[in-house]
Amino acid sequence: MATLGELERTVMDLLWETGDAVTANTLRDMLAQRSDETQIHKELAVTTVLTVLSRLEKKGLVARERQTRPHRYQAVTSREEHTAELMHQVLGSAPDREAVLARFLGSVSDGEAATLRKLLGRS
């Protein structure tokens, strides 16, 4: 399971929010705007952003469009697909899946439980 550092998570959040392929320079500018709100990631060099994008590409989370210069980057899957995959990986690594599911279901809100019942009723 690919773990993400803080900057990697922030970059993925931005890619998921935009939904479009963007350049490293655009991402750097977006990170700078976000840092005004969160006080993190101020004045990153574009090489730092490129390194993060390269790592995310190796982890299979980002695709690079190589046809144009500068290259553009886009999330491979949606945030929801990524989260569901993480849930499957975690559940798959549990020695007692039923116990994990029971613990999870015991912690969901009434609204989430209703949503789960509705979704399970569709299958």
Side-chain angles (χ1 to χ4, degrees):
M1 174 176 10
T3 58
L4 300 179
E6 181 182 359
L7 185 52
E8 289 175 325
R9 279 192 310 272
T10 304
V11 167
M12 287 306 302
D13 284 341
L14 290 171
L15 289 172
W16 283 321
E17 288 168 17
T18 62
D20 293 324
V22 295
T23 66
N25 283 319
T26 300
L27 274 171
R28 184 198 56 210
D29 295 345
M30 293 166 73
L31 286 163
Q33 287 177 337
R34 183 157 289 187
S35 72
D36 292 341
E37 301 162 9
T38 63
Q39 300 302 311
I40 58 171
H41 313 307
K42 286 194 178 221
E43 299 182 30
L44 289 174
V46 72
T47 54
T48 302
V49 176
L50 285 166
T51 298
V52 170
L53 288 166
S54 175
R55 288 179 184 161
L56 291 169
E57 185 178 17
K58 286 178 186 171
K59 291 178 181 184
L61 299 172
V62 169
R64 178 176 15 169
E65 293 178 1
R66 299 173 189 264
Q67 310 87 286
T68 60
R69 291 269 184 191
H71 293 162
R72 296 166 59 88
Y73 299 83
Q74 188 167 20
V76 172
T77 62
S78 70
R79 182 190 322 260
E80 294 78 14
E81 290 169 319
H82 175 69
T83 303
E85 178 61 30
L86 289 175
M87 292 169 69
H88 278 286
Q89 289 177 5
V90 169
L91 189 57
S93 69
D96 187 349
R97 293 171 66 126
E98 188 174 333
V100 172
L101 284 169
R103 183 76 164 217
F104 174 74
L105 291 174
S107 68
V108 299
S109 69
D110 290 341
E112 291 166 334
T115 300
L116 285 169
R117 279 192 289 281
K118 181 175 126 185
L119 292 171
L120 287 170
R122 290 184 191 168
S123 20

